[in-house]
Structures are given as structure tokens and as C-alpha cells.
Amino acid sequence: QIWIFYHAPSVRGRKIFGSADSLQKEGSVWRLGADYATVLHTDADLDLNGVAVPKGDYTLYADLDKGQWKLIVNKTLMSGARHIWGINRDGSTTDDPATEVGRAAMTMGKPGSPVETLKITLSGTGAAKGKMLVEFENVTATVPFTIK
């Protein structure tokens, strides 16, 4: 089993990506959702576009590197007895590079029409292969994975 748990923010007339006045600036790290950090669970070892991910639970973030996003897979899931929130009081994310499993390059695109509410989907693309698709506002980002 592979699944993702996330809280889905909505655009609600705001500019989310791609400009100086957007909520998520280029070059920033985004918690890939709202409220609590997004969680990836896998019962099998994965290869996420070159990043080896052992079976287990992880938090996901996105490095919004000048329109060439990278999916960040992080080992930190809990802070004491609580799931991590995903964002600090100063607006920075709770991603800690020291606990990252790795960063996987994502393929960027544009949806046919604006996507009001964040959608993250997993789909199969063949024997033991699949992709994760992130759609929000005027952006799509995909990362392939292989089940090891």
C-alpha cells in the first residue's frame, strides 16, 4: 500500500505561485498542503525519481526552485507526541535538511484550467511503476516512482 494524507488549501482569489506577490515565493520550501505536514506512507521500498525511499512514513515538502520543483522526502513525522504542523510561527516550514531522505526532481506543467483546491494523486503507470501528481492553481508537478 502507498498513500498520501494531506490537507488541501484553496486558491480563493489569491495568487499562490509564480510572482513576487504570491503566497509561495520561488526558491522557498512549501509544506505541500495546509495545516499539518503532508504524509507519505509506503509498505514497500520506493524509488522516487532517483531517491531511494525505504518503506515507512515520511513528510513531504516541495522546493519551489525557480519553477523547477523538487519533492522533498523527510524522515521527521512527529514532534514529541504530535504530528508536525508543517510550518513554524515565522512562516518557514518545519523541513529540516538534516533529516531529509532526498529531493526528487519533478516535471512541471500547467493544467487545462486553474485548479481551485490542491489535489495530490497517485496512479499506476505500468508494472510496479506509478506517478504522483500535484495540481494547484496554475501548476502541475509530477514525479515518477518505482516499487522495489
Side-chain angles (χ1 to χ4, degrees):
Q1 253 193 352
I2 303 169
W3 50 261
I4 294 178
F5 176 80
Y6 66 100
H7 291 222
S10 295
V11 174
R12 293 192 181 106
R14 302 172 293 179
K15 181 70 180 152
I16 307 298
F17 306 114
S19 67
D21 61 341
S22 62
L23 288 175
Q24 300 299 322
K25 309 286 189 256
E26 285 189 351
S28 68
V29 173
W30 175 41
R31 64 180 154 177
L32 202 59
D35 301 326
Y36 292 105
T38 295
V39 174
L40 167 70
H41 169 84
T42 176
D43 288 336
D45 295 344
L46 300 178
D47 178 296
L48 273 169
N49 204 18
V51 175
V53 180
K55 65 182 176 180
D57 297 307
Y58 302 90
T59 51
L60 299 179
Y61 301 88
D63 178 353
L64 310 182
D65 186 16
K66 297 181 185 95
Q68 297 300 310
W69 293 10
K70 292 174 190 69
L71 179 69
I72 301 170
V73 181
N74 195 299
K75 293 182 275 190
T76 303
L77 190 63
M78 305 286 280
S79 176
R82 296 186 56 212
H83 287 279
I84 60 172
W85 185 247
I87 195 166
N88 296 309
R89 291 182 188 265
D90 66 1
S92 64
T93 67
T94 52
D95 175 53
D96 179 358
T99 59
E100 288 179 10
V101 174
R103 294 179 179 218
M106 302 182 85
T107 301
M108 304 305 297
K110 294 198 175 289
S113 60
V115 179
E116 175 63 26
T117 302
L118 173 68
K119 185 162 61 168
I120 303 174
T121 54
L122 297 170
S123 61
T125 61
K129 293 183 182 283
K131 71 176 180 177
M132 184 180 94
L133 170 64
V134 177
E135 302 171 277
F136 193 34
E137 192 200 27
N138 59 358
V139 174
T140 64
T142 60
V143 63
F145 64 86
T146 303
I147 299 169
K148 296 296 186 182

